[in-house]
């Protein structure tokens, strides 16, 4: 049987944050969704159950891990990774598997409480807070169709509101009720730490889980980026390590120096770099807050100092994530524009080549070729049309029917109207008609009129081929 001190130092037995009377009384911290991998799609019930059990075990293990390291006299748990683990299990899973995931997580949570001999009322409060917050976070994200790709400002702002405000508020509200049920275990002054513990859990670790699951981290280690990634990450770790060696009076400047360096990492490494930088920064600052020398607090009580560090990390997350999203959005817009421009250039080149080929054929054939608009106006006349006009260019803009003999003008217009009404592309219509020639006389022609379309568009002109009847 574990000792009473150990039981009171666990999440299910203690408060989520704030002061305690002795180190033995630890304060543990009790559009587009398709962008997220749906792990449960198309799998068997057994596979879903195994996956849910693994997540439930990770959920409880992460609780134990955070509580185990939060040992520094006046115990506070400044970040609660378990919330991010359960939220990710729900976000990454199929909605139909949610009851199984939540059920097993709750079962493991209760078994842990039984193992440590927690009071039932206390366990109920912690269970509702630990399960309810992630469920609210994942449920709102699934309902709003929001993923964790952060490719635009709208999605990242929605995640900041849901994961950074709404879900932590739901969890903290349960604990607030706990202060009425058991004021000796749940204290009002701990609510701020509790709220930020959940908020930082979602904002810091959910994006990291997404990058690990979707392979987004690989872009940091491409041949063109791996050296730069290593140098920038090493520089960030070095800056955080300075906290342990700098004189106390110089440590005040470190948070200010971190901000421009983190912004540089976002510009150099993009979304993946921003997520990695945020996780490393949060981990480094919280480790120093937990285990650093007491002089680093500059006389502030531990709870206030932890709360200050949490607020600072939250402010960094609220700046870095939208900035990375804006840069990603602009990069995507640039790539889309470049692709559209390349396609337009290719299409224009094809059009020019087709026009050149058409003119080559038209200029070297003895047949008279006319391009005629749907209204019957002549758009182009090949050089062979000198039989109709000494300068074929003078035919441009004239109506084809006006060239016909007065006795055949009506028939010519009727043929154009019939071909236009039928709308049959590449289906020729033939007739014989007398047309005024270059000597102001009349010449009999066989006319083959064909409706054509440019590219995949609607029919937009006729091609008229004229052959003189001998």
């Amino acid at each position: 049987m574990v000792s009473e001190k150990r039981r009171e130092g666990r999440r299910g037995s203690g408060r989520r944050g704030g002061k305690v009377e002795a180190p033995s009384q630890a304060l543990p911290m009790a559009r587009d969704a398709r962008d997220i991998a749906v792990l449960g799609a198309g799998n068997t019930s057994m596979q879903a159950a195994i996956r849910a059990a693994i997540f439930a075990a990770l959920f409880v293990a992460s609780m134990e891990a955070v509580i185990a390291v939060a040992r520094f006299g006046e115990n506070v748990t400044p970040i609660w990774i378990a919330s991010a683990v359960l939220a990710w299990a729900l976000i990454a899973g199929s909605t139909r598997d949610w009851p199984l995931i939540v059920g097993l997580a709750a079962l493991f949570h209760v078994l842990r409480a039984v193992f440590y001999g927690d009071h039932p009322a206390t366990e109920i409060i912690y269970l509702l807070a630990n399960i309810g917050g992630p469920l609210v976070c994942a449920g709102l994200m699934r309902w709003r169709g929001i993923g964790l790709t952060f490719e635009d400002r709208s999605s990242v702002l929605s995640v900041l509101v849901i994961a950074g405000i709404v879900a932590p508020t739901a969890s903290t509200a349960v604990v607030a009720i706990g202060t009425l049920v058991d004021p000796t275990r749940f204290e009002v002054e701990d609510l701020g730490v509790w709220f930020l513990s959940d908020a930082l859990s979602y904002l810091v670790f959910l994006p990291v889980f997404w990058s690990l699951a979707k392979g987004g981290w690989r872009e940091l280690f491409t041949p063109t980026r791996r050296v730069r990634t290593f140098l920038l990450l090493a520089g960030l770790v070095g800056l955080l390590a300075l906290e342990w060696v700098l004189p106390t009076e110089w440590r005040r400047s470190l948070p200010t120096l971190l901000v421009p360096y983190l912004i540089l990492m976002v510009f150099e490494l993009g979304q993946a770099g921003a997520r990695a930088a945020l996780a490393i920064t949060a981990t480094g600052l919280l480790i120093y807050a937990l285990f650093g020398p007491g002089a680093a607090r500059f006389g502030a009580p531990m709870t206030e100092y932890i709360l200050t560090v949490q607020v600072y990390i939250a402010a960094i997350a609220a700046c870095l994530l939208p900035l990375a999203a804006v840069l990603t959005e602009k990069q995507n817009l640039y790539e889309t524009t470049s692709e559209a421009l390349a396609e337009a250039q290719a299409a224009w080149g094809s059009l020019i080549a087709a026009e050149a080929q058409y003119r080559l054929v038209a200029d070297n054939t003895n047949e008279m070729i006319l391009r005629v608009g749907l209204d019957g106006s002549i758009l182009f006349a090949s050089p062979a049309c000198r039989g109709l006009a000494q300068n074929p260019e003078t035919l441009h803009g004239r109506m084809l029917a006006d060239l016909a003999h007065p006795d055949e003008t009506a028939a010519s217009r009727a043929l154009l109207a019939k071909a236009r009404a039928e709308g049959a592309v590449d289906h020729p219509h033939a007739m014989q008609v007398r047309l005024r020639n270059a000597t102001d006389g009349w010449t009999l022609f066989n006319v083959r009129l064909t409706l054509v379309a440019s590219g995949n568009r609607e029919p937009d002109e006729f091609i008229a081929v004229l052959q003189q009847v001998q």
Side-chain angles (χ1 to χ4, degrees), residues 230-401:
F230 175 78
L231 293 176
L232 288 173
L233 292 179
L236 178 59
V237 174
L239 277 175
L240 294 171
L242 285 177
E243 282 193 300
W244 297 86
V245 297
L246 283 175
T248 302
E249 60 274 11
W250 289 6
R251 291 173 187 157
R252 297 178 184 269
S253 303
L254 185 62
T256 304
L257 295 175
L258 273 175
V259 174
Y261 190 82
L262 291 172
I263 292 175
L264 173 65
M265 293 189 67
V266 174
F267 275 92
E268 291 294 327
L269 302 180
Q271 282 274 16
R275 298 175 182 195
L278 183 58
I280 292 173
T281 300
T283 302
L285 292 178
L286 291 175
I287 287 176
Y288 184 76
L290 294 174
F291 303 107
R297 302 198 300 269
F298 305 104
M302 175 59 76
T303 302
E304 294 182 10
Y305 179 64
I306 290 293
L307 187 62
T308 301
V309 174
Q310 287 178 310
V311 171
Y312 176 74
I313 297 172
I316 290 178
C319 294
L320 291 188
L321 294 178
L323 176 61
V326 170
L327 294 177
T328 301
E329 192 175 10
K330 290 186 178 296
Q331 180 64 26
N332 292 339
L333 180 61
Y334 171 77
E335 292 176 356
T336 301
T337 304
S338 298
E339 291 175 0
L341 180 60
E343 291 175 359
Q345 289 175 335
W348 184 251
S350 300
L351 182 61
I352 292 176
E355 179 72 13
Q357 185 178 17
Y358 172 79
R359 287 186 173 273
L360 179 64
V361 173
D363 291 347
N364 292 275
T365 183
N366 293 326
E367 292 183 333
M368 301 180 187
I369 300 175
L370 299 175
R371 287 175 53 202
V372 182
L374 295 179
D375 60 351
S377 62
I378 297 174
L379 306 175
F380 167 79
S382 68
C385 292
R386 292 187 182 90
L388 299 177
Q390 292 183 355
N391 182 4
E393 292 185 1
T394 61
L395 297 173
H396 296 177
R398 297 182 62 181
M399 303 300 291
L400 178 60

Side-chain angles (χ1 to χ4, degrees), residues 15-257:
R15 295 165 300 177
R16 193 163 185 169
K19 298 180 180 179
V20 292
E21 294 297 328
S24 61
Q25 293 176 316
L27 293 176
M29 221 193 98
R31 110 112 231 291
D32 188 1
R34 289 177 298 178
D35 294 330
I36 300 176
V38 179
L39 301 180
N43 290 328
T44 65
S45 298
M46 180 60 69
Q47 290 173 324
I50 293 173
R51 195 165 44 248
I54 292 173
F55 275 119
L58 290 174
F59 173 62
V60 173
S62 61
M63 291 167 54
E64 293 295 311
V66 172
I67 293 171
V69 299
R71 307 290 187 198
F72 50 89
E74 295 185 32
N75 296 278
V76 175
T77 302
I79 194 167
W80 191 245
I81 304 176
S83 294
V85 171
L86 183 54
W88 173 249
L90 296 170
I91 292 172
S94 173
T95 307
R96 70 171 181 269
D97 294 334
W98 281 20
L100 181 62
I101 296 172
V102 172
L104 284 178
L107 176 62
F108 277 48
H109 196 288
V110 171
L111 291 176
R112 177 189 174 280
V114 172
F115 179 78
Y116 288 115
D118 293 339
H119 190 276
T122 301
E123 167 60 15
I124 291 174
I125 293 172
Y126 280 121
L127 177 64
L128 292 177
N130 293 337
I131 299 293
L135 188 58
V136 169
C137 178
L140 289 176
M141 290 181 65
R142 182 63 57 87
W143 175 60
R144 297 289 297 172
I146 300 170
L148 293 170
T149 54
F150 293 169
E151 292 185 351
D152 55 68
R153 286 163 288 183
S154 176
S155 64
V156 71
L157 291 177
S158 296
V159 170
L160 287 177
V161 172
I162 293 173
I165 299 177
V166 179
T169 299
S171 176
T172 307
V174 176
V175 181
I177 297 174
T179 61
L180 303 177
V181 176
D182 186 0
T184 62
R185 184 62 57 84
F186 304 96
E187 297 182 1
V188 174
E189 58 265 28
D190 299 335
L191 297 182
V193 175
W194 186 292
F195 175 88
L196 288 171
S197 296
D198 257 354
L200 292 181
S201 174
Y202 300 128
L203 297 181
V204 172
F205 288 100
L206 270 182
V208 172
F209 292 161
W210 184 93
S211 292
L212 292 176
K214 300 291 288 184
W217 55 272
R218 292 189 181 93
E219 66 184 71
L220 295 176
F221 298 98
T222 58
T224 59
R225 273 190 174 185
R226 60 173 62 132
V227 175
R228 185 173 29 172
T229 298
F230 175 78
L231 293 176
L232 288 173
L233 292 179
L236 178 59
V237 174
L239 277 175
L240 294 171
L242 285 177
E243 282 193 300
W244 297 86
V245 297
L246 283 175
T248 302
E249 60 274 11
W250 289 6
R251 291 173 187 157
R252 297 178 184 269
S253 303
L254 185 62
T256 304
L257 295 175

